[in-house]
């Protein structure tokens, strides 16, 4: 199982980015896939989740109305579309996979992680 995030970068306030998380060695719809982020000096937080049957799409308060998680049609990648970005969204973003529960779980429940991609939002 391998996850490799891409799509991060520098964007101005109000801009958009789409992060990608292609899956290698497994099918996306066999796992619960979640996006986490870790701002500088802070703990890692879960921001979006999609279960193995595309249910339980969850956006905690920080992402509601601005972030959208979705798989591609081949179920080989998961995307995180981020709109109306704010400076407080600056963080390293990670995708993670687990097959224990279908909900967004705490970070320690995920055995598979990507290496992270940096998102920086300037004011």
């Amino acid at each position: 199982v391998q996850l490799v995030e891409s799509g991060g970068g520098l964007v101005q306030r109000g801009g958009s980015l789409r992060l990608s998380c292609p899956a290698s060695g497994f099918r996306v719809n066999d796992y619960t896939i979640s996006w986490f982020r870790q701002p500088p000096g802070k703990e890692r937080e879960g921001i979006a989740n999609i279960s193995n049957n595309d249910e339980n799409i969850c956006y905690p308060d920080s992402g509601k109305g601005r972030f959208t998680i979705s798989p591609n049609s081949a179920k080989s990648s998961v995307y995180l579309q981020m709109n109306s970005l704010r400076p407080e969204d600056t963080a390293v973003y990670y995708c993670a996979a687990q097959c224990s529960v279908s909900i967004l779980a705490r970070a320690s429940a995920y055995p598979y992680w990507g290496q992270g991609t940096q998102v920086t939002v300037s004011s």
Side-chain angles (χ1 to χ4, degrees), residues 13-75:
R13 175 194 293 269
S16 298
L17 285 173
R18 189 176 81 156
L19 306 184
S20 298
C21 179
S24 176
F26 70 103
R27 285 177 56 83
V28 163
N29 60 353
D30 289 337
Y31 285 76
T32 294
I33 307 295
S34 305
W35 283 94
F36 287 77
R37 69 182 182 185
Q38 188 163 17
K42 297 185 178 181
E43 293 186 354
R44 198 168 295 189
E45 65 168 341
I47 56 174
N49 179 80
I50 185 166
S51 67
N52 57 359
N53 57 359
D54 294 351
E55 294 181 351
N56 293 316
I57 298 177
C58 166
Y59 305 100
D61 289 345
S62 56
K64 281 183 178 177
R66 301 189 297 128
F67 297 170
T68 304
I69 186 171
S70 62
N72 67 348
S73 57
K75 304 290 187 178

Side-chain angles (χ1 to χ4, degrees), residues 9-17 37 66-67 82 84-91 93 118-123:
L10 174 64
V11 64
Q12 290 187 337
R13 175 194 293 269
S16 298
L17 285 173
R37 69 182 182 185
R66 301 189 297 128
F67 297 170
M82 304 188 295
S84 302
L85 285 164
R86 307 163 180 166
E88 53 264 40
D89 294 318
T90 293
Y93 284 70
Q118 176 71 46
V119 171
T120 303
V121 184
S122 67
S123 56

